[in-house]
Each structure stands twice: as structure tokens, then as C-alpha cells.
């Protein structure tokens, strides 16, 4: 074994100790969210407009729409929006008796943003607006929990993040997407990193007033723009765990990477230094993972303690779903490499068509 300086050993153990403190804090935060009770104020019952932009047929789409329709909170109207009447989603919406609009192409944003802007242009400023995706399945109290924090005027938006559930047991890339989604939940649970997820979010119509509506209608991302407007106005974003929906997925490597690369491209378009920071961060993480192997074998066995924070990350993921533990372990280990591939595709200049997404 190669001899190393005692100071290097001491600094390494100190570094591991600091990482362990942060890991324990992460575990505590996860547990706190599990124990937290979201209380409903039944005196807060505004008129709500639920906007569902649709394009094509999603997995179990009719069941998803029915889950939105069957809410215990009754003061709401569900509005569907499609690009044209030839879209197969149009027939599903009409058969369910849902008020359905055709996208107004005078709005210049992405396809989803144009659809939402079409509905927003017809909604009064004193209404509460909820956006929900057509691939999303929700519980009967989803709407109650999602809108309730808006009783506080300092709250700009209330959002949540889904559990991605593979529809087939052997769909490995569906499970990759499931674990990938845990990052979104982790960010939601940590206030400084919180953002709006456009698949399930509530806000006052007045949030997108005047010039902010124009900015929104010309943007490529509904959730990133609402997040930006909240921060610009000094309003908080609240995370509602009780409103967490389910999104069923069926993925191949190609479809998953296209989806994750597009998510990365949209995020980077709204963050000036995110690309450089991402390359640096995941470059360090991957180098850290790989360098520890020879260090722990040939230099000092206690270098293997550097993998302990990984075990904490694995444990947090398992706490969210105790099934398929080996898949969770493997995917947790390879996730930094997947994120790095997303960033490298951005670096190579891969382009994504965001207009019709």
C-alpha cells in the first residue's frame, strides 16, 4: 500500500464527516416532508379554471382526465385545449363533455404555451388557474391541496412533482425515468431549489398580467416562465406533497434520452450559467466516483468511505419506493453519467424542436 501523509488522511476523514452531516440533513428533510400534515382551509373556495393542454393520446388518457374531473372540490371548470379537431385527443375530450378550445396561433410560444395562453386569454383575473397535463393521474383531493396555499397572498404558485411509474415491470428505462424524477422531488423539498412543474401547478390568473402574459405567451416553457415571474414579483413557490400525481411511462433508451435532453435544454435556456455549472459539477462527481476505486484499493482502504454519501442517496430513493431495490441501486449509481450525457449533448449543439412539445 502506498504511504500517504497523515494530514491528507485527516483532511479526508474531515471531508467525509462533513458529507455525512449533509447526508443526515437530507434524510431528516425527507422524513420531515413525510410527517408533515397539510391542513386544508375549507373557507378558501375560489372559482378555479383547470387548463389541460392535449396533444395526441397518452397512456390511460381517459382515466387520467376522469381523475381530474372526479374531485371533491367542486368549484372548478376543466378546459381542454388542442391544436385542431383532427387531434385524437379532441374526440376523447368531447366524449367526456369537456369544454374544448382550439389553440390560437397568434401566440408565438411553444405548442404547450400557445395552448395554455389560448385558455388564459379567456379567464378572468380574479380566478385561480390550475395547469395539469393529460398524462397525469391525480387523487380526489388533488385540487383542494393544490389551491389551498394560495389563500396566503405572498404565495405566487403552488406546485408538486410526479412519481413516474413504469407500466411494465421489465421496462428498465421507465425505471430510469422514475429515479430521474426523484431529483425533481428532492429539489421541491429544498426551498432554495424549488421551481414550478407545469404538469400540476396552481396560481392566480393575475400573476400573468399585462407584460408578464405577453412574456409567457412567447416563451418555450410554461413552468420556467411561471417560476421566473414568481421570483421577479418576490412571491414564494409552495410545494404540496399531498397533491403529488402519478405519470405512467413506457420508455426506451431513445425516448428517455430525447425527453431528458429536452428537459435539460429548456432548463439551460433560462439559466445563464447552468451549463458551465452542470458540466463542472457532474465532471467532479464522475471523476470522484472513478478515482476512489484505485485510491481505495492501492493507497488507503478508508478512501472507500467516500462512497458512503452514495449509500445515503440510495437510501433516500429506496424510502420513496421500496420495490425493485437492485434496479434503484444500479440506476442511482449511473445517474450522474446520464446527467453528464445530457450536458454533453448540449455542448455538441444538439437542437430540440420545442414549438410542438
Amino acid at each position: 500500500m502506498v504511504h500517504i501523509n497523515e494530514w491528507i488522511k485527516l483532511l479526508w476523514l474531515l471531508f467525509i464527516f462533513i458529507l455525512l452531516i449533509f447526508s443526515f440533513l437530507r434524510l431528516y428533510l425527507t422524513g420531515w416532508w413525510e410527517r408533515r400534515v397539510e391542513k386544508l382551509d375549507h373557507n378558501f373556495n375560489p372559482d378555479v379554471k383547470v387548463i389541460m393542454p392535449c396533444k395526441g393520446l397518452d397512456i390511460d388518457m381517459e382515466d387520467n382526465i376522469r381523475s381530474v374531473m372526479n374531485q371533491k372540490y367542486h368549484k372548478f371548470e376543466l378546459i381542454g385545449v388542442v391544436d385542431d379537431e383532427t387531434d385524437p385527443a379532441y374526440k376523447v375530450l368531447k366524449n367526456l363533455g369537456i369544454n374544448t378550445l382550439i389553440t390560437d396561433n397568434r401566440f408565438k410560444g411553444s405548442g404547450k404555451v400557445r395552448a395554455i395562453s389560448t385558455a388564459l386569454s379567456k379567464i378572468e383575473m380574479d380566478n385561480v388557474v390550475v395547469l395539469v397535463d393529460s398524462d397525469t393521474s391525480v387523487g380526489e383531493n388533488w385540487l383542494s391541496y393544490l389551491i389551498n396555499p394560495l389563500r396566503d397572498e405572498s404565495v405566487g404558485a403552488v406546485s408538486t412533482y410526479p412519481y413516474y411509474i413504469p407500466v411494465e415491470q421489465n421496462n428498465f428505462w421507465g425505471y430510469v425515468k422514475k429515479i430521474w424524477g426523484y431529483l425533481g422531488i428532492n429539489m421541491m423539498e429544498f426551498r432554495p431549489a424549488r421551481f414550478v412543474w407545469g404538469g400540476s401547478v396552481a396560481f392566480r390568473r393575475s400573476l400573468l398580467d399585462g407584460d408578464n402574459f405577453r412574456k409567457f405567451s412567447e416563451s418555450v416553457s410554461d413552468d420556467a416562465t411561471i417560476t421566473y415571474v414568481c421570483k421577479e414579483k418576490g412571491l414564494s413557490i409552495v410545494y404540496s406533497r399531498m397533491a403529488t400525481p402519478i405519470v405512467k411511462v413506457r420508455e426506451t433508451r431513445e425516448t428517455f434520452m430525447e425527453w431528458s435532453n429536452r428537459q435539460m435544454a429548456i432548463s439551460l435556456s433560462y439559466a445563464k450559467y447552468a451549463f458551465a455549472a452542470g458540466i463542472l459539477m457532474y465532471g467532479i462527481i464522475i471523476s470522484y466516483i472513478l478515482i476512489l476505486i484505485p485510491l481505495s484499493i492501492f493507497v488507503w482502504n478508508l478512501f472507500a468511505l467516500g462512497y458512503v454519501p452514495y449509500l445515503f442517496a440510495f437510501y433516500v430513493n429506496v424510502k420513496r419506493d421500496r420495490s425493485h431495490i437492485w434496479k434503484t441501486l444500479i440506476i442511482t449509481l449511473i445517474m450522474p453519467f446520464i446527467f453528464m450525457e445530457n450536458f454533453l449533448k448540449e455542448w455538441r449543439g444538439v437542437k430540440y424542436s420545442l414549438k410542438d412539445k
Side-chain angles (χ1 to χ4, degrees):
M1 185 178 293
V2 178
H3 175 74
I4 56 174
N5 189 286
E6 294 299 320
W7 279 105
I8 295 177
K9 292 181 179 180
L10 183 62
L11 288 173
W12 175 250
L13 293 176
L14 179 62
F15 174 68
I16 295 300
F17 178 71
I18 293 171
L19 286 182
L20 288 174
I21 290 176
F22 281 109
S23 297
F24 277 116
L25 289 174
R26 182 74 197 90
L27 280 175
Y28 174 80
L29 185 60
T30 302
W32 183 85
W33 278 104
E34 290 178 350
R35 297 188 301 270
R36 184 174 181 266
V37 177
E38 296 177 36
K39 296 181 179 179
L40 294 176
D41 180 356
H42 295 287
N43 293 319
F44 182 73
N45 52 1
D47 288 321
V48 180
K49 304 294 184 183
V50 180
I51 302 173
M52 180 182 285
C54 301
K55 187 177 180 65
L57 298 178
D58 296 299
I59 298 172
D60 293 339
M61 183 174 181
E62 186 170 330
D63 290 339
N64 298 337
I65 296 173
R66 289 188 186 278
S67 75
V68 175
M69 296 171 66
N70 296 329
Q71 294 296 301
K72 286 189 173 180
Y73 187 91
H74 296 299
K75 292 185 64 177
F76 77 97
E77 178 190 8
L78 177 58
I79 303 170
V81 191
V82 296
D83 285 346
D84 56 65
E85 294 182 6
T86 64
D87 191 309
Y90 180 79
K91 184 177 180 180
V92 175
L93 292 166
K94 297 304 286 186
N95 286 344
L96 291 171
I98 295 168
N99 178 18
T100 305
L101 305 176
I102 303 300
T103 296
D104 187 338
N105 287 318
R106 66 190 170 94
F107 300 114
K108 303 304 180 183
S110 66
K112 184 180 179 183
V113 166
R114 290 200 305 270
I116 295 170
S117 299
T118 299
L120 285 175
S121 67
K122 302 178 185 301
I123 294 174
E124 300 294 331
M125 285 290 178
D126 58 351
N127 287 144
V128 166
V129 174
V130 168
L131 307 181
V132 63
D133 288 344
S134 57
D135 63 353
T136 301
S137 177
V138 300
E140 61 185 5
N141 289 309
W142 161 77
L143 189 55
S144 299
Y145 282 112
L146 196 64
I147 68 169
N148 210 248
L150 290 175
R151 66 188 186 276
D152 183 347
E153 294 290 332
S154 68
V155 173
V158 186
S159 193
T160 185
Y161 203 81
Y163 280 106
Y164 294 109
I165 305 298
V167 293
E168 286 108 10
Q169 294 287 324
N170 61 350
N171 184 204
F172 177 78
W173 286 98
Y175 281 96
V176 172
K177 188 168 184 176
K178 179 180 181 179
I179 304 303
W180 198 99
Y182 290 163
L183 174 64
I185 296 174
N186 292 341
M187 293 175 69
M188 285 292 190
E189 291 176 347
F190 185 51
R191 186 186 296 273
R194 196 169 295 162
F195 61 99
V196 163
W197 178 60
S200 175
V201 58
F203 56 93
R204 299 175 192 83
R205 172 63 182 88
S206 56
L207 181 76
L208 298 178
D209 56 356
D211 193 50
N212 284 319
F213 177 69
R214 180 190 60 77
K215 291 177 184 176
F216 177 85
S217 68
E218 296 175 354
S219 69
V220 298
S221 170
D222 52 314
D223 34 24
T225 306
I226 296 171
T227 300
Y228 171 80
V229 172
C230 285
K231 292 180 178 179
E232 188 179 51
K233 290 190 172 187
L235 300 172
S236 64
I237 297 171
V238 171
Y239 168 56
S240 174
R241 188 181 71 87
M242 298 299 290
T244 298
I246 289 172
V247 175
K248 294 180 181 178
V249 297
R250 183 184 291 111
E251 299 289 341
T252 63
R253 186 184 188 281
E254 291 71 26
T255 61
F256 170 78
M257 292 308 299
E258 180 187 1
W259 173 83
S260 61
N261 290 337
R262 189 166 61 248
Q263 302 305 306
M264 191 72 72
I266 292 172
S267 299
L268 293 177
S269 71
Y270 280 86
K272 186 176 181 181
Y273 301 108
F275 174 75
I279 288 286
L280 178 63
M281 180 175 69
Y282 287 106
I284 291 172
I285 291 173
I286 290 172
S287 300
Y288 173 86
I289 294 168
L290 297 178
I291 289 171
L292 281 182
I293 296 173
L295 285 178
S296 58
I297 294 173
F298 301 112
V299 180
W300 189 36
N301 296 142
L302 289 184
F303 273 117
L305 289 174
Y307 290 113
V308 171
Y310 243 94
L311 296 178
F312 276 94
F314 166 66
Y315 179 68
V316 169
N317 288 344
V318 169
K319 274 176 65 69
R320 300 197 189 282
D321 182 3
R322 290 172 172 81
S323 63
H324 307 96
I325 290 177
W326 280 107
K327 283 182 182 176
T328 301
L329 174 60
I330 293 169
I331 295 168
T332 300
L333 289 171
I334 67 173
M335 195 56 68
F337 297 88
I338 294 174
F339 287 138
M340 178 58 85
E341 182 175 350
N342 293 147
F343 278 106
L344 289 177
K345 286 197 174 181
E346 278 297 295
W347 176 64
R348 292 171 188 153
V350 175
K351 301 298 182 183
Y352 300 96
S353 175
L354 301 175
K355 290 293 182 182
D356 298 318
K357 301 299 181 182

